[in-house]
């Protein structure tokens, strides 16, 4: 009986797990990188990544920052919207609304070079 309840609980939680995504494109859209957050709120530094366009793909609450650590003033992006001319964005947070975002802790790679 306990095994059945545990299995049912795991299946139910998997169904309700939220996956949030944001995709960053370079200026001519020849390169892209997709960021994902699962039932959380991620913060990613992209200052070393060419950012021509940023697109939310069920991204939840998306905030674009000129700082590298998702602090300070921000511009919002709709969950399934796109922002062009995004070269000014140095970090962004996305995912579940109402929870603090992770700190990128100075990790700012060129995301297009990561496979």
């Amino acid at each position: 009986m306990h095994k059945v309840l545990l299995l049912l609980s795991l299946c139910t939680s998997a169904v309700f797990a939220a996956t949030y995504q944001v995709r960053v494109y370079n200026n001519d859209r020849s390169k892209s990188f997709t960021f994902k957050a699962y039932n959380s709120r991620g913060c990613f530094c992209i200052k070393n990544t060419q950012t021509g366009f940023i697109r939310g793909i069920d991204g939840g609450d998306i905030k674009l920052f000129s700082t590298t650590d998702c602090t300070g003033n921000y511009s919002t992006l709709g969950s399934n919207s796109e922002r062009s001319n995004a070269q000014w964005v140095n970090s962004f947070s996305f995912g579940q609304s109402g929870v603090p975002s992770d700190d990128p802790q100075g990790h700012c790679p060129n995301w297009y070079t990561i496979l």
Side-chain angles (χ1 to χ4, degrees):
M1 178 68 171
H2 293 290
K3 290 180 182 178
V4 172
L5 289 176
L6 178 61
L7 182 59
L8 182 59
S9 173
L10 290 173
C11 290
T12 303
S13 64
V15 169
F16 293 110
T19 302
Y20 304 98
Q21 298 182 62
V22 170
R23 184 170 295 147
V24 174
Y25 298 89
N26 66 345
N27 291 339
D28 66 1
R29 293 185 187 262
S30 63
K31 295 179 183 178
S32 68
F33 191 89
T34 302
F35 297 85
K36 295 183 181 182
Y38 303 94
N39 285 331
S40 65
R41 180 163 194 78
C43 169
F44 294 92
C45 177
I46 55 174
K47 78 172 185 174
N48 296 317
T49 304
Q50 186 185 76
T51 52
F53 303 87
I54 299 175
R55 174 183 288 278
I57 306 167
D58 294 326
D61 179 30
I62 305 170
K63 296 178 180 175
L64 310 175
F65 298 86
S66 61
T67 62
T68 60
D69 61 354
C70 297
T71 60
N73 295 330
Y74 60 86
S75 177
T76 58
L77 178 65
S79 182
N80 291 295
S81 300
E82 181 174 280
R83 175 74 45 95
S84 59
N85 298 319
Q87 293 84 355
W88 64 271
V89 179
N90 285 316
S91 67
F92 66 93
S93 66
F94 70 103
Q96 188 174 349
S97 181
V99 297
S101 59
D102 299 329
D103 182 354
Q105 299 175 351
H107 184 65
C108 286
N110 179 346
W111 290 98
Y112 301 135
T113 62
I114 297 174
L115 298 176

